[in-house]
Amino acid sequence: MPLALLALAIGAFGIGTTEFVIMGLLPDVAHDFGVSIPTAGLLVSGYALGVMLGAPVMTVLGTRISRKRMLMLLMVLFIAGNLLSALAPAFSVMLAGRVVASLAHGAFFGIGSVVAADLVAPDKRAGAIATMFTGLTGANVLGVPLGTLLGQAAGWRVTFTAVAALGVIGLAGVALLVPDLPRQEGVRLRHELAAFKNVQVLLAMAMTVLGFGGVFAAITYIAPMMTHVAGFADGSVIWLMALFGLGMLGGNLVGGRLADRAAMPLLYVALSGLAVVLALFTVTARHEIAAVVTLVLIGGLGFATVPPLQKRVLDQAHGAPTLASAVNIGAFNLGNALSAWLGGLVIAAGYGYTAPDWVGAALAAGALVLAVLSAALERRQSAPGTVVASTVVGAAPAERPAPAHR
């Protein structure tokens, strides 16, 4: 694998750390600014909203410059947002810093996925994407626990300063190691937008929303689930999340290895397994050891879907994949926000802290249905007797009857 993938992984590590570390520092931030915990929660939802909106907007703004230069600008934006959060004199300023940092998130992973795929042979594209996403999964194993401990010991401002320093390292890595690949000639914004006419691109994004939404339905409420239901001490949440991160790391590596050879079978297995495991979590969450095993499996099965889904978007949007790739990253955060909201509804309705697991199982099952539908449509398009028009930039795939004589 090229060294450039290491630079992309470092940037992903910093972005993953800043996205999730706030969850463990929320009480400290709320106390320092004199706001309630629900108000401080805007630092999480505001970031997610920024990712969803920033992914397409920043990608569109970067269509006229090289992908390397855009990645560097995104890292500068990331550094500025985290420094603003670290130095914020008021809660509103910190919220603004979180939103600024979030604007880099979706576009960095979206453009980075395209760059990673272009650096390797076609049969290694998913593995290259998975290598970059190793930075994100590694953030949950190391960055988030260490950032939380640092914040608890030295203050949350020190944590965000350290995250900004990670951004500086990522910026240097991109500048030194990522080649300045030439932009495709003739590709304009209208060509990038045309990818959304392809039903397979839309189905892949819908699978992303539902599949990863299934994961976050459970993980958003993992702290009360593990402490009030499984019986763990409050201080155990940090290492439980680290174990979840290990599951994500393993699932990402396995998904990247298998997606180049059997993407759809991998999605069938991962999504069906995820639906079953999330349903079982309503029972296993009541026993400490079983809860830990289930938590690791949720991370592994959930993130095993990321490389094949991201690769599928790139493949189906062939010729102009950058915007579609970035929007698919936003789809992950849309799934996170949707599932967290639905999970909160069932808890508020009095069904208990394990009820979001049922929500997650239903979302994962929905993603599986879409995967089966996507494959069926693909088989129909390639069936004998049907000629499928070549996918051209700016036009949706179309079918026409096969000629009577060949």
Side-chain angles (χ1 to χ4, degrees):
M1 287 290 180
L3 272 177
L5 294 179
L6 175 62
L8 295 174
I10 292 172
F13 183 87
I15 291 174
T17 299
T18 205
E19 179 181 16
F20 295 108
V21 75
I22 186 63
M23 296 175 185
L25 301 176
L26 215 57
D28 297 327
V29 175
H31 177 267
D32 284 359
F33 286 124
V35 300
S36 66
I37 291 293
T39 298
L42 292 174
L43 298 173
V44 178
S45 56
Y47 188 96
L49 182 62
V51 174
M52 287 188 288
L53 297 178
V57 171
M58 297 306 296
T59 303
V60 168
L61 291 176
T63 53
R64 295 188 176 276
I65 63 175
S66 71
R67 288 167 181 162
K68 174 178 179 174
R69 184 173 298 179
M70 190 60 194
L71 288 172
M72 293 174 64
L73 289 174
L74 290 170
M75 290 310 300
V76 170
L77 196 63
F78 171 80
I79 295 165
N82 280 285
L83 284 177
L84 185 60
S85 294
L87 301 173
F91 177 78
S92 58
V93 179
M94 184 178 186
L95 179 58
R98 291 286 292 168
V99 172
V100 169
S102 73
L103 295 176
H105 184 126
F108 183 89
F109 280 105
I111 297 172
S113 294
V114 177
V115 171
D118 286 348
L119 289 170
V120 298
D123 62 342
K124 295 183 179 180
R125 286 161 62 90
I129 294 169
T131 300
M132 184 190 71
F133 274 92
T134 299
L136 177 62
T137 55
N140 285 274
V141 178
L142 292 176
V144 174
L146 291 177
T148 302
L149 291 174
L150 179 62
Q152 292 172 348
W156 57 267
R157 294 182 187 275
V158 177
T159 295
F160 283 98
T161 303
V163 172
L166 285 174
V168 173
I169 297 172
L171 172 62
V174 171
L176 295 173
L177 299 176
V178 174
D180 201 358
L181 299 173
R183 296 173 63 237
Q184 280 188 290
E185 293 296 328
V187 176
R188 298 291 183 266
L189 177 58
R190 67 178 183 275
H191 304 137
E192 297 279 358
L193 292 172
F196 297 94
K197 296 179 181 179
N198 187 338
V199 69
Q200 292 291 1
V201 171
L202 299 179
L203 283 172
M205 291 178 178
M207 283 185 265
T208 296
V209 172
L210 296 180
F212 218 70
V215 174
F216 263 76
I219 296 305
T220 300
Y221 303 98
I222 196 65
M225 197 186 310
M226 293 295 94
T227 55
H228 289 82
V229 180
F232 285 100
D234 291 345
S236 301
V237 175
I238 291 177
W239 66 262
L240 286 170
M241 289 304 295
L243 289 175
F244 170 72
L246 281 174
M248 291 172 65
L249 180 62
N252 178 58
L253 294 175
V254 171
R257 188 174 185 84
L258 297 180
D260 282 314
R261 291 177 289 175
M264 292 310 294
L266 173 60
L267 284 174
Y268 295 153
V269 171
L271 290 172
S272 58
L274 182 61
V276 170
V277 169
L278 283 166
L280 289 175
F281 204 20
T282 59
V283 177
T284 59
R286 305 179 187 282
H287 308 278
E288 289 189 354
I289 295 177
V292 170
V293 173
T294 308
L295 188 62
V296 174
L297 287 174
I298 291 172
L301 291 167
F303 229 86
T305 67
V306 174
L309 284 174
Q310 193 70 4
K311 178 180 180 292
R312 189 163 180 80
V313 169
L314 293 180
D315 290 345
Q316 296 295 334
H318 179 70
T322 309
L323 181 59
S325 176
V327 171
N328 195 49
I329 299 299
F332 282 103
N333 283 268
L334 176 59
N336 298 351
L338 173 66
S339 61
W341 175 66
L342 292 174
L345 286 181
V346 294
I347 291 175
Y351 292 105
Y353 287 124
T354 61
D357 300 332
W358 285 117
V359 173
L363 291 173
L368 177 61
V369 171
L370 292 182
V372 173
L373 174 62
S374 177
L377 290 175
E378 205 164 40
R379 285 194 300 270
R380 179 183 175 188
Q381 289 176 339
S382 60
T386 299
V387 177
V388 182
S390 298
T391 301
V392 294
V393 177
E399 291 184 3
R400 62 177 182 268
H405 302 286
R406 296 182 182 274

